[in-house]
Amino acid sequence: MRIVVALSRIFVGVLFIISGLIKLNDPLGFSYKLQEYFSPDVLNLPFLEPYALMISIFVVVFEVVLGVFLLIGYKPKFTVWSLLAMIVFFTFLTFYSAYFDKVKDCGCFGDALKLTPWESFTKDVILLVFILVLFIGKKYIKPVFTQLPTTVLALLSFIFCLWLGFHVLMHLPVVDFRAYKIGANIEEGMSTPDDAPKPVIEYSWKFDVNGKEEVIKTMGDYPSVEGDFISVDTEVIDEGYQPPIYDFSIENSNGDNLTEYFLHEDNVIVIISYSLEKIEKAGAEKLTAFSKRAEGLGYKVIGLTASGDAAKEKINETYGLDFEWYLCDEKALKTVVRSNPGIIEMDQGTVQQKVHWNDIETLVLPKVERKPEPIQDDGILYLIDNEISTEEDLDALDENDIEELYVLKERNEGDILDSINKANKTNYTSLVKAVLKQE
């Protein structure tokens, strides 16, 4: 029994420390997951949503500290009881989530490791077994060191966790596990490889055969049945390959999609605020001088938010901002950067730099030469696959290579041409856009 307890002690302690540190590296991300659990569609505890960040910090700090306590043998009775209470709660939570298909990812290991609901539940059941072993054999859990060093180590672990949590909230996660990390290309993250596994869908066909309902299951083929078709239900057996980025977009107020256009531009500074209503005042006050400095150095500056037009106008008027705000999904923006506001630099869709508003001064912005805008005498902007081109380039194309030709003859407030003009400080009056066929 002593050996079993020792092995369980090491396994549970290490796993709790690793799991806790991953979440402590990104407590904001874990708080968003808790808000999802507290929402009316899951546990229906919306009154807890405003306290999600505070709860997330408490939980992850407690998780790491319990892991350390268990390994060094500090207050074994308190530690084991706390571990048992925590794992029982999380086992219930993951079972509820899996059984009722409420939350797709429990957030147990943050963005470092994604687990399905049933995988999360299985993991918690295994942990529960090991913790029950510890509970039964807690008399075998002895301190590794004498009382003073054991107490000092316990205290240091607690202080370290508090410091790390404060540090990442005031800056950004120490390690970025998300698809928008520095060096990642957003467009590549949105694409699906040709050889990627396809979804596996089971079809349940219902027929009336001689007055009796009969259900036949296939993987998509229409069954050969002597009877009258009634209905068909589908069930996803395997979702196949899911791109790491699926909800990122850049749209103007009219709903025109400019994502591809900006993902093919160099030297783009993107100021991100998932909610302008909730933007931190101290961060917003830094944006005026920063955006003017970036534009003066040749960078294109745009904003991304999930807020509406009224909030955009108010924020620009309040802080004297003159860049254009575009629309993006709130959840996507919360994933891009854990700061409100936060700033990223993109070149051809690749994230070059990313900072919290507290570190806005640390952005390295060498002067760049902005590409000359080929404005024609007639004020027409020519785009070929969202790259700024000329009339000669368009005329040189083979008609068979063109998938779609889009012509916008009049500029209206808020349309795609107006958005491009504001972003580039140009004054085009009409647009010709060619989309080429993909090979």
Side-chain angles (χ1 to χ4, degrees):
M1 184 65 179
R2 190 186 302 272
I3 296 176
V4 175
V5 170
L7 292 175
S8 300
R9 177 178 175 179
I10 295 172
F11 176 75
V12 173
V14 171
L15 193 62
F16 263 66
I17 291 173
I18 293 174
S19 173
L21 284 177
I22 289 174
K23 293 195 287 289
L24 189 57
N25 174 66
D26 184 15
L28 262 179
F30 186 52
S31 74
Y32 297 150
K33 183 60 62 176
L34 288 181
Q35 287 176 353
E36 191 175 348
Y37 276 111
F38 296 151
S39 66
D41 293 336
V42 186
L43 295 177
N44 195 22
L45 300 171
F47 64 91
L48 289 177
E49 290 184 29
Y51 308 103
L53 180 58
M54 183 172 61
I55 296 172
S56 74
I57 293 174
F58 171 79
V59 170
V60 296
V61 169
F62 196 48
E63 187 174 357
V64 176
V65 167
L66 284 180
V68 174
F69 283 9
L70 182 62
L71 290 180
I72 65 177
Y74 181 74
K75 294 189 178 299
K77 190 173 181 179
F78 165 80
T79 300
V80 172
W81 272 103
S82 299
L83 287 170
L84 184 61
M86 183 174 279
I87 198 61
V88 167
F89 172 73
F90 280 116
T91 302
F92 159 75
L93 204 60
T94 52
F95 171 77
Y96 180 88
S97 174
Y99 186 79
F100 294 101
D101 195 25
K102 293 292 186 179
V103 179
K104 299 300 182 183
D105 171 34
C106 72
C108 303
F109 294 95
D111 292 291
L113 177 64
K114 299 288 188 180
L115 298 178
T116 66
W118 284 114
E119 286 173 344
S120 300
F121 173 68
T122 303
K123 179 263 299 178
D124 285 342
V125 169
I126 294 172
L127 261 177
L128 178 60
V129 172
F130 279 97
I131 293 174
L132 285 174
V133 169
L134 294 173
F135 184 80
I136 295 170
K138 55 181 175 290
K139 65 180 180 180
Y140 297 110
I141 302 175
K142 303 295 182 182
V144 177
F145 310 104
T146 58
Q147 184 176 359
L148 180 60
T150 301
T151 304
V152 170
L153 284 173
L155 182 60
L156 287 177
S157 69
F158 179 68
I159 294 173
F160 171 77
C161 288
L162 290 181
W163 170 83
L164 180 59
F166 178 79
H167 176 78
V168 296
L169 285 176
M170 292 298 102
H171 303 281
L172 287 180
V174 177
V175 181
D176 194 347
F177 295 105
R178 287 157 292 157
Y180 302 93
K181 62 186 178 183
I182 294 175
N185 185 277
I186 295 177
E187 189 170 34
E188 290 179 2
M190 299 167 67
S191 62
T192 301
D194 294 336
D195 58 348
K198 300 294 188 291
V200 178
I201 302 175
E202 182 182 73
Y203 291 75
S204 297
W205 307 88
K206 186 181 293 185
F207 290 88
D208 182 343
V209 180
N210 298 324
K212 183 179 179 181
E213 284 190 1
E214 185 174 332
V215 176
I216 299 175
K217 296 183 177 181
T218 72
M219 301 310 293
D221 297 332
Y222 189 86
S224 299
V225 179
E226 294 295 332
D228 298 324
F229 170 76
I230 298 175
S231 64
V232 61
D233 294 322
T234 59
E235 180 183 357
V236 178
I237 306 299
D238 186 348
E239 292 184 349
Y241 177 82
Q242 299 294 314
I245 299 176
Y246 59 89
D247 52 1
F248 181 85
S249 63
I250 303 176
E251 298 181 356
N252 63 15
S253 299
N254 283 358
D256 298 311
N257 195 322
L258 296 162
T259 309
E260 191 175 349
Y261 172 78
F262 283 112
L263 292 183
H264 286 87
E265 288 289 291
D266 293 319
N267 311 124
V268 181
I269 297 294
V270 186
I271 296 172
I272 294 172
S273 172
Y274 70 86
S275 170
L276 294 175
E277 294 86 353
K278 298 178 181 178
I279 193 170
E280 296 192 54
K281 182 180 178 182
E285 289 173 344
K286 290 186 174 186
L287 297 181
T288 306
F290 169 74
S291 61
K292 291 184 183 300
R293 179 169 71 93
E295 288 180 345
L297 292 171
Y299 293 82
K300 184 178 299 183
V301 179
I302 65 172
L304 269 185
T305 183
S307 298
D309 291 338
K312 296 176 190 174
E313 293 175 7
K314 182 178 179 181
I315 205 78
N316 280 9
E317 181 181 345
T318 302
Y319 297 100
L321 307 176
D322 62 356
F323 55 84
E324 182 82 352
W325 289 96
Y326 296 89
L327 288 171
C328 185
D329 178 73
E330 180 176 327
K331 186 176 180 180
L333 295 180
K334 286 180 175 179
T335 307
V336 175
V337 61
R338 303 298 199 202
S339 175
N340 186 20
I343 299 92
I344 66 172
E345 180 206 347
M346 289 194 313
D347 287 337
Q348 295 288 319
T350 298
V351 179
Q352 303 292 341
Q353 299 183 77
K354 180 196 294 190
V355 297
H356 189 286
W357 64 263
N358 272 325
D359 303 314
I360 199 170
E361 296 83 4
T362 66
L363 272 173
V364 180
L365 298 180
K367 186 175 179 59
V368 296
E369 293 296 328
R370 183 173 291 180
K371 291 187 298 183
E373 306 293 345
I375 303 178
Q376 307 299 318
D377 293 337
D378 53 3
I380 301 175
L381 170 63
Y382 294 93
L383 292 178
I384 299 177
D385 273 353
N386 283 302
E387 293 281 353
I388 296 178
S389 305
T390 64
E391 184 178 10
E392 290 74 18
D393 293 332
L394 185 64
D395 291 340
L397 293 175
D398 189 325
E399 291 184 1
N400 295 323
D401 294 332
I402 299 176
E403 178 76 26
E404 180 183 357
L405 191 63
Y406 173 75
V407 179
L408 181 66
K409 295 184 178 180
E410 296 182 4
R411 170 184 169 187
N412 297 309
E413 185 69 27
D415 65 17
I416 184 172
L417 188 56
D418 183 58
S419 296
I420 291 175
N421 278 330
K422 288 181 179 179
N424 291 283
K425 309 297 182 184
T426 52
N427 193 33
Y428 296 111
T429 57
S430 54
L431 167 71
V432 177
K433 175 181 175 182
V435 179
L436 302 181
K437 294 179 179 177
Q438 300 297 315
E439 296 183 358

